């Protein structure tokens, strides 16, 4: 009898494979980074073939570490960077172009074009999403319009579309072309009410439905792996990365919320079986759908640049040699010295949705040094999170009592303490911090009976550390007012 369940966690900067036991504890893990490709300002691409090679490598490595066999795994789940768009040949499997990453802003002209004919919210009632550069729809349109022969091949049925979950499932299973409701909800092509592709939106964008995958639940057997060391193991769970973290944090009740601090920053609140429309700059999305149960929905606030800003001062400015050095550098000063950094590198996401914003650093004086800049880098993530929390409370009518935090940045005590201070409420880190991969493993395990149900999963969540707010109210509100002022300076730069 299989003792473990596995998860592919295919993220923006790296791919991991993690094996979990029945208690949700990590048994084995392997990780490899992949190249970030920047062909032009505002463009971000990945080589999807490189991602496939990295996926194979980490699966093999994780199994080899513990001398595991395919028969030791009951199932695997997949969680992925959402919105990132891949189009490939149905017959050869060869991508027609590099994957266009969720951060990519090349479709700004399309956004303006479609918005002029009905406003930025013309599809929000059906999809929960505004017109912006973020989602898959216009990325698909761009490839069909700009890659030679792509539109004709798509209309004839020779090309397939998928976010990374679909591409990896197709490769692993030898041609099963599916996605789950969470990833489908990020394409801007699925109707939230019907959980089916919306023919009217497809027509408006000029996207042939025959290139789209079949929409499934987040927890069911999609097919068996046909590849290598895991041949025969069922692929039984698919969740977009932020929804996977919501599941991994056991946020199964309406009003429960988590924030993932990664390349970007993503705060999701479970709203139950009701899709709550946003009037305060958030998006409405599918949280998860387990088997035949009704879908659960979420409000989401998406911040484009969080950990990516730490990478930027490391790679582009050389202020630090490794990301871990940002906290010691920030601790060399007692505050930000009046410096605020708004990282609108590809525009602003929630709650502003301004594609024409660009990054700014304000408040510089001769007094400011690299320690102040490092502190401003960390504080930018916390300020953006507060903006999202405020919008979420207005939309949901629910006051957040505690914020569950996960992602790579939660090891940064200075950031987490400042987050609690600027929010004026506790921030909690769970014992098992790999919540994204864990959520995918949970979904897969539920589908094959490895886990018995949501109560079983909820019992596994435990607190590792909590940060309580200590900042004086006047200081908190003054700093937040300064941040809001800084944000306005980034507007309408292009």
């Amino acid at each position: 009898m299989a003792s473990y369940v596995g998860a592919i966690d295919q993220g923006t900067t790296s791919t991991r494979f993690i094996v979990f036991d029945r208690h949700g504890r990590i048994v084995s893990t392997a990780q490899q980074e992949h190249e970030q490709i920047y062909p032009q300002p505002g463009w971000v691409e990945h080589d999807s073939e490189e991602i496939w090679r990295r996926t194979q490598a980490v699966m093999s490595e994780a199994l080899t570490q513990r001398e595991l066999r395919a028969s030791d795994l009951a199932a695997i789940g997949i969680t992925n960077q959402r919105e990132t768009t891949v189009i490939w040949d149905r017959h050869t499997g060869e991508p027609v172009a590099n994957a266009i990453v969720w951060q990519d802003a090349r479709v700004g002209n399309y956004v303006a074009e479609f918005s002029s004919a009905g406003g930025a919210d013309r599809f929000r009632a059906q999809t929960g999403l505004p017109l912006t550069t973020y989602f898959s729809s216009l990325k698909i349109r761009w490839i069909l319009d700009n890659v030679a022969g792509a539109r004709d091949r798509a209309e004839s049925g020779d090309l397939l579309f998928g976010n990374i979950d679909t591409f990896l499932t197709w490769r692993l299973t030898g041609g099963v072309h599916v996605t789950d409701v969470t990833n489908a909800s990020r394409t801007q092509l699925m109707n939230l009410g019907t959980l089916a592709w919306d023919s009217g939106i497809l027509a408006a964008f000029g996207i042939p439905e025959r290139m789209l995958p079949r929409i499934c639940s987040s927890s069911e057997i999609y097919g068996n792996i046909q590849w290598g060391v895991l041949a025969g193991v069922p692929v039984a769970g698919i969740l977009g990365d932020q929804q996977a973290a919501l599941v991994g944090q056991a946020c199964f009740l309406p009003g429960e919320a988590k924030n993932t601090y990664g390349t970007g920053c993503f705060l999701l609140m479970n709203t139950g079986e009701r899709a709550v429309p946003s009037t305060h700059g958030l998006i409405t999305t599918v949280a998860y759908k387990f088997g035949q149960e009704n879908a659960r929905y979420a409000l989401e606030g998406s911040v484009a640049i969080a950990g990516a800003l730490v990478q930027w001062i490391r790679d582009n400015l050389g202020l630090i040699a490794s990301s871990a050095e940002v906290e010691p550098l920030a601790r060399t000063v007692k505050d930000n010295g009046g410096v605020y950094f708004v990282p609108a590198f590809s525009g602003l996401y929630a709650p502003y949705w301004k594609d024409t914003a660009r990054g700014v650093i304000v408040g510089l004086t001769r007094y400011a040094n690299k320690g102040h800049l490092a502190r401003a880098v960390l504080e930018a993530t916390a300020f953006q999170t507060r903006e999202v929390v405020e919008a979420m409370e207005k939309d949901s009518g629910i006051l957040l009592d505690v914020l569950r935090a996960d992602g790579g940045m939660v090891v940064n005590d200075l950031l987490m303490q400042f987050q609690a201070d600027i929010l004026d409420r506790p921030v909690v880190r769970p014992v098992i911090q790999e919540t994204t991969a864990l959520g995918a493993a949970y979904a897969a395990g539920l589908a094959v009976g490895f886990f018995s149900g949501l109560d079983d999963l909820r019992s596994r969540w435990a607190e590792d550390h909590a940060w309580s707010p200590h900042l004086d109210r006047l200081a908190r509100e003054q700093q937040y007012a300064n941040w809001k002022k800084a944000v306005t300076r980034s507007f309408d730069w292009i």
Side-chain angles (χ1 to χ4, degrees):
M1 186 176 180
S3 301
Y4 309 111
V5 64
I8 297 169
D9 182 358
Q10 203 299 297
T12 306
T13 59
S14 69
T15 304
R16 299 184 300 168
F17 187 69
I18 302 180
V19 179
F20 296 93
D21 66 14
R22 291 185 182 275
H23 301 285
R25 295 176 299 211
I26 294 175
V27 173
S28 180
T29 182
Q31 179 174 2
Q32 291 191 12
E33 293 188 357
H34 56 267
E35 182 183 6
Q36 307 297 304
I37 303 167
Y38 306 104
Q40 298 182 30
W43 291 30
V44 189
E45 297 178 353
H46 290 157
D47 179 349
S48 47
E49 290 288 3
E50 181 189 14
I51 287 175
W52 169 237
R53 292 193 299 272
R54 298 291 182 264
T55 301
Q56 296 175 80
V58 295
M59 292 170 77
S60 295
E61 182 182 344
L63 265 64
T64 301
Q65 284 177 10
R66 295 292 300 268
E67 298 182 350
L68 300 175
R69 300 167 297 176
S71 59
D72 292 320
L73 270 68
I76 72 158
I78 296 174
T79 182
N80 57 290
Q81 50 170 320
R82 306 168 303 172
E83 300 92 19
T84 296
T85 299
V86 188
I87 295 178
W88 67 95
D89 187 284
R90 176 191 298 273
H91 309 290
T92 67
E94 182 178 352
V96 302
N98 279 339
I100 301 180
V101 178
W102 59 274
Q103 298 163 311
D104 189 285
R106 75 183 67 185
V107 299
N109 289 339
Y110 286 155
V111 172
E113 173 191 336
F114 283 99
S115 296
S116 68
D121 289 335
R122 61 182 290 190
F123 302 123
R124 187 186 279 270
Q126 302 100 304
T127 67
L129 312 175
L131 280 165
T132 179
T133 61
Y134 185 14
F135 307 109
S136 310
S137 54
L138 294 177
K139 294 173 170 46
I140 300 171
R141 169 73 177 254
W142 190 94
I143 292 175
L144 296 183
D145 286 351
N146 290 276
V147 174
R151 179 166 294 281
D152 289 341
R153 294 167 68 191
E155 290 175 349
S156 67
D158 291 328
L159 295 186
L160 300 176
F161 154 76
N163 293 333
I164 296 292
D165 66 301
T166 298
F167 178 69
L168 291 182
T169 302
W170 194 87
R171 284 288 177 92
L172 286 166
T173 60
V176 175
H177 190 218
V178 297
T179 190
D180 89 300
V181 289
T182 68
N183 278 286
S185 74
R186 312 304 293 204
T187 63
Q188 204 168 38
L189 302 174
M190 188 191 81
N191 188 296
L192 285 179
T194 64
L195 302 183
W197 301 122
D198 189 298
S199 58
I201 296 176
L202 290 173
F205 286 137
I207 296 173
E209 185 169 355
R210 65 193 307 179
M211 70 186 300
L212 304 181
R214 177 168 57 91
I215 300 174
C216 300
S217 79
S218 310
S219 179
E220 61 181 85
I221 297 175
Y222 313 104
N224 292 335
I225 295 175
Q226 305 297 312
W227 162 85
V229 294
L230 284 176
V233 176
V235 179
I238 298 175
L239 286 161
D241 54 6
Q242 303 312 318
Q243 287 92 338
L246 190 76
V247 171
Q249 287 269 36
C251 294
F252 299 129
L253 297 177
E256 292 182 332
K258 68 86 201 176
N259 198 25
T260 297
Y261 298 79
T263 303
C265 205
F266 302 89
L267 200 157
L268 272 72
M269 175 184 283
N270 187 327
T271 62
E273 296 184 29
R274 184 169 71 97
V276 176
S278 174
T279 58
H280 294 89
L282 303 180
I283 60 178
T284 306
T285 193
V286 179
Y288 54 83
K289 183 181 187 300
F290 294 145
Q292 298 301 312
E293 294 183 7
N294 292 335
R296 268 53 173 188
Y297 295 88
L299 283 168
E300 175 174 335
S302 309
V303 172
I305 303 294
L309 186 54
V310 177
Q311 295 171 332
W312 186 80
I313 66 166
R314 179 194 69 190
D315 300 338
N316 293 43
L317 297 188
L319 289 184
I320 51 178
S322 68
S323 295
E325 294 178 14
V326 69
E327 182 176 2
L329 179 57
R331 287 188 181 277
T332 62
V333 293
K334 64 182 177 63
D335 55 35
N336 64 17
V339 177
Y340 294 81
F341 196 149
V342 183
F345 291 162
S346 54
L348 289 170
Y349 288 3
Y352 299 102
W353 298 108
K354 288 187 175 291
D355 295 328
T356 56
R358 285 298 178 266
V360 298
I361 305 172
V362 300
L364 292 174
T365 64
R366 285 290 298 270
Y367 170 72
N369 60 38
K370 60 184 180 180
H372 296 114
L373 185 58
R375 202 170 186 103
V377 162
L378 295 179
E379 291 180 355
T381 293
F383 284 127
Q384 291 178 102
T385 296
R386 174 168 168 179
E387 290 183 307
V388 170
V389 168
E390 289 183 344
M392 194 161 285
E393 291 178 334
K394 292 173 184 176
D395 276 334
S396 67
I398 299 171
L399 291 178
L400 195 66
D401 58 351
V402 63
L403 183 63
R404 296 187 179 189
D406 57 70
M409 298 181 80
V410 298
V411 299
N412 190 309
D413 285 317
L414 181 63
L415 169 60
M416 292 294 101
Q417 182 58 57
F418 186 74
Q419 184 68 87
D421 287 339
I422 208 68
L423 278 179
D424 193 29
R425 66 202 72 193
V427 175
V428 178
R429 181 176 67 199
V431 170
I432 300 174
Q433 296 168 30
E434 302 295 350
T435 55
T436 303
L438 183 61
Y442 280 169
L446 287 173
V448 298
F450 189 81
F451 300 114
S452 62
L454 298 191
D455 288 340
D456 186 17
L457 304 185
R458 192 179 288 108
S459 69
R460 286 164 170 70
W461 190 92
E463 177 185 308
D464 174 59
H465 188 77
W467 292 267
S468 298
H470 299 305
L471 192 63
D472 172 78
R473 184 183 68 84
L474 290 178
R476 179 175 64 253
E477 296 311 315
Q478 182 60 60
Q479 290 188 48
Y480 189 53
N482 290 344
W483 163 262
K484 300 288 277 189
K485 185 178 180 181
V487 169
T488 65
R489 300 300 194 265
S490 74
F491 292 170
D492 302 318
W493 187 255
I494 61 169

